[in-house]
Amino acid sequence: MTNTTHLSDVRFSDFDLHPALHKAIEKTGFEFCTPIQAESLPITLLAKDVAGQAQTGTGKTAAFMLPIIQHLLNNPLEDRKPDQVRTLIMVPTRELAIQVAKDAEVFTNESGLKVALAYGGAGYDAQKKAIADGADILIGTPGRLIDFFKQKIYTLRRCQGLVLDEADRMFDLGFIKDIRFLLRRLPDPEQRLNMLFSATLSARVLEMAYEHMNNPTKVEIAADTRSADRVEQWVYYPANDEKIPLLVGLIQTLGPKRCIVFVNTKRNAEKIDDFLRGNDIGAVMISGDVRQNKRQRYLEEFEQGKHQVLIATDVAARGLHIDDVTHVFNFDLPQSEEDYVHRIGRTARAGASGESHSFACEDTAFYLPGIEKYIGSKIPMADVTADLLPKLKKPIRVEREKVASHQDKKGGGRKPNGPSKSRGPRRKPSAPK
């Protein structure tokens, strides 16, 4: 578990936490709270609901995990059956689900509470068994959660806690109907502890919060753009057909030990993957269409140094915590200013130095003014010189697998019988002419 955001003056020891939580926190070595933790814990530890605005990487997992564990330990369920989940935590992507579960294991290791995962693309039977054996805390993506719920692997009738993490991202990915399906199976909001966290508390996010929570308190932490100050940033203005040669030229010139290339589309990710392979640069690609077991294997290999480059879309990159990334390349500028800070924050972690090289091309240059306004500074311009545009070898194309279902593409799992898409009543097939 990595905590790279700035800290407050509030200590975890200032709170009246369960002894099991104090022991777990001591093992992490953390002493001071991040701002979102310092603002939300005084509320949630009193079993009151919170709707919090905070960016990825600001310590949100501890902000919701500590009060959830405290609530469960202070309110044991009598005659609980194994299929009765006590807390449901919903997240938008598989990678984030895995990361939250890792952190949850750290905080629950002194409590005796069981944590289980439910996400699409891998481990179907293992996940099913772990939930059936009795999960106190169930973490997952909406599609796979609904799949197991419809099979009656677990029930939410006695659920005591609910967490919605990165709620705005779940809206963006089209999960809202799936989320509402599960929320309507929970006990009344007054009977559970509820927390919602989002990068922005938009009107639609707040509407869901006030509909399905018990009068939540708003906690808003200003976006931390200071991570951008720790990264040496450059922006290039290439033509569209210069982008791949420029990327190859920069990788060859800068010689990054470990770098991430961010793209906006799966098509660009595949194209870059083919060209890097053809030009003798070791790379792996993760996107929504790469099966989960492969994504995990690729990430592990990248962390182990087996590949120099990781190519990723924003959806696939949510929740990534990889050390020693020296360079980030924004092959496409992101539409969201927050995503820009999130991307370049993958480097310069834990006090290390890092570089960001962004391409303001014909298709994405108009996002740059908003990004510069958001981070509060002008990004220095770098020239696209001839020596940075090498003559490329031909790309090496490979046959790529397709994810079996729409739910897998969204991060959910096997496609449930409903209610992911509202298509209206099914029509009977017409008689043959």
Side-chain angles (χ1 to χ4, degrees):
M1 181 171 53
T2 306
N3 188 349
T4 59
T5 192
H6 66 287
L7 301 176
S8 70
D9 296 328
V10 180
R11 288 180 167 87
F12 288 106
S13 58
D14 296 337
F15 297 108
D16 185 20
L17 294 172
H18 192 282
L21 285 174
H22 277 303
K23 287 183 181 178
I25 293 170
E26 286 175 11
K27 288 184 178 180
T28 67
F30 289 164
E31 181 181 359
F32 291 94
C33 298
T34 65
I36 187 62
Q37 295 161 1
E39 293 289 331
S40 64
L41 287 175
I43 303 167
T44 53
L45 288 173
L46 295 176
K48 295 180 180 179
D49 293 2
V50 155
Q53 176 179 305
Q55 305 297 309
T56 300
T58 55
K60 288 182 299 174
T61 304
F64 60 72
M65 198 59 67
L66 294 178
I68 281 294
I69 296 169
Q70 177 112 331
H71 187 66
L72 297 183
L73 293 176
N74 289 344
N75 299 277
L77 279 184
E78 299 294 333
D79 303 320
R80 173 179 172 256
K81 297 178 181 178
D83 66 342
Q84 293 173 340
V85 167
R86 300 181 66 191
T87 290
L88 180 66
I89 300 176
M90 280 191 274
V91 300
T93 67
R94 308 161 190 176
E95 281 72 26
L96 187 55
I98 293 168
Q99 186 61 48
V100 170
K102 286 180 180 177
D103 292 348
E105 294 286 355
V106 172
F107 291 120
T108 57
N109 61 12
E110 298 288 339
S111 68
L113 297 174
K114 292 183 179 179
V115 177
L117 263 171
Y119 60 86
Y124 192 86
D125 293 331
Q127 293 175 19
K128 189 174 178 179
K129 183 179 185 304
I131 298 169
D133 287 346
D136 295 284
I137 301 171
L138 178 57
I139 303 162
T141 50
R144 179 62 64 90
L145 287 170
I146 290 178
D147 188 351
F148 288 145
F149 181 84
K150 284 179 170 286
Q151 294 184 58
K152 296 182 168 49
I153 306 303
Y154 68 95
T155 176
L156 297 171
R157 286 193 299 269
R158 302 184 73 186
C159 193
Q160 297 168 281
L162 168 72
V163 177
L164 298 177
D165 193 16
E166 296 204 2
D168 55 338
R169 183 68 61 169
M170 288 197 274
F171 270 99
D172 294 342
L173 293 175
F175 281 133
I176 185 59
K177 290 184 179 179
D178 291 354
I179 293 169
R180 291 189 187 278
F181 174 86
L182 290 167
L183 294 183
R184 291 179 181 129
R185 271 71 186 172
L186 291 165
D188 292 338
E190 297 80 9
Q191 299 177 34
R192 59 181 199 259
L193 174 60
N194 307 285
M195 284 170 277
L196 175 150
F197 291 93
S198 180
T200 57
L201 290 178
S202 62
R204 60 182 184 174
V205 170
L206 287 174
E207 180 185 6
M208 183 168 64
Y210 290 117
E211 180 183 355
H212 295 282
M213 299 171 71
N214 181 24
N215 192 26
T217 301
K218 280 175 63 176
V219 174
E220 298 183 74
I221 304 299
D224 179 17
T225 61
R226 293 189 302 175
S227 60
D229 299 334
R230 301 193 299 267
V231 181
E232 188 176 352
Q233 301 170 68
W234 300 96
V235 62
Y236 303 77
Y237 293 87
N240 283 351
D241 59 0
E242 292 177 328
K243 289 175 71 177
I244 289 181
L246 178 60
L247 177 64
V248 173
L250 284 171
I251 293 174
Q252 291 175 342
T253 302
L254 299 172
K257 172 187 174 184
R258 186 175 297 160
C259 65
I260 301 179
V261 177
F262 282 106
V263 294
N264 292 349
T265 66
K266 179 195 70 171
R267 181 179 179 182
N268 276 348
E270 293 178 348
K271 190 175 180 182
I272 293 167
D273 188 32
D274 294 340
F275 269 99
L276 294 187
R277 187 182 300 106
N279 286 269
D280 306 316
I281 297 174
V284 286
M285 181 196 78
I286 60 171
S287 71
D289 272 7
V290 176
R291 293 184 181 277
Q292 183 61 32
N293 56 352
K294 281 194 174 182
R295 283 160 73 168
Q296 286 304 115
R297 176 162 57 85
Y298 290 162
L299 288 173
E300 289 172 5
E301 291 175 353
F302 180 65
E303 288 187 79
Q304 293 165 4
K306 294 182 179 179
H307 309 284
Q308 184 183 11
V309 183
L310 173 68
I311 308 160
T313 58
D314 283 311
V315 170
R318 279 283 156 181
L320 286 185
H321 296 280
I322 300 172
D323 294 328
D324 301 325
V325 173
T326 57
H327 294 70
V328 165
F329 297 94
N330 286 305
F331 186 84
D332 304 310
L333 283 176
Q335 299 179 35
S336 164
E337 297 89 355
E338 292 93 342
D339 281 344
Y340 176 82
V341 175
H342 171 79
R343 287 180 178 188
I344 70 172
R346 300 309 94 196
T347 186
R349 299 176 71 82
S353 60
E355 295 182 22
S356 166
H357 299 263
S358 300
F359 298 173
C361 64
E362 301 163 33
D363 296 328
T364 65
F366 49 86
Y367 299 136
L368 185 60
I371 291 170
E372 292 179 329
K373 181 180 178 181
Y374 183 75
I375 65 175
S377 63
K378 195 87 172 170
I379 302 174
M381 185 183 77
D383 293 329
V384 181
T385 57
D387 59 321
L388 289 178
L389 298 174
K391 185 175 181 181
L392 299 183
K393 300 176 185 177
K394 290 183 179 180
I396 298 177
R397 293 181 174 85
V398 294
E399 191 70 26
R400 292 183 171 90
E401 292 182 281
K402 298 298 181 184
V403 172
S405 73
H406 183 60
Q407 283 293 323
D408 269 349
K409 290 180 182 179
K410 293 201 301 180
R414 294 186 183 182
K415 188 175 181 180
N417 295 328
S420 297
K421 295 289 181 183
S422 178
R423 299 184 177 89
R426 293 183 179 179
R427 296 179 180 177
K428 293 182 179 180
S430 56
K433 295 182 181 179

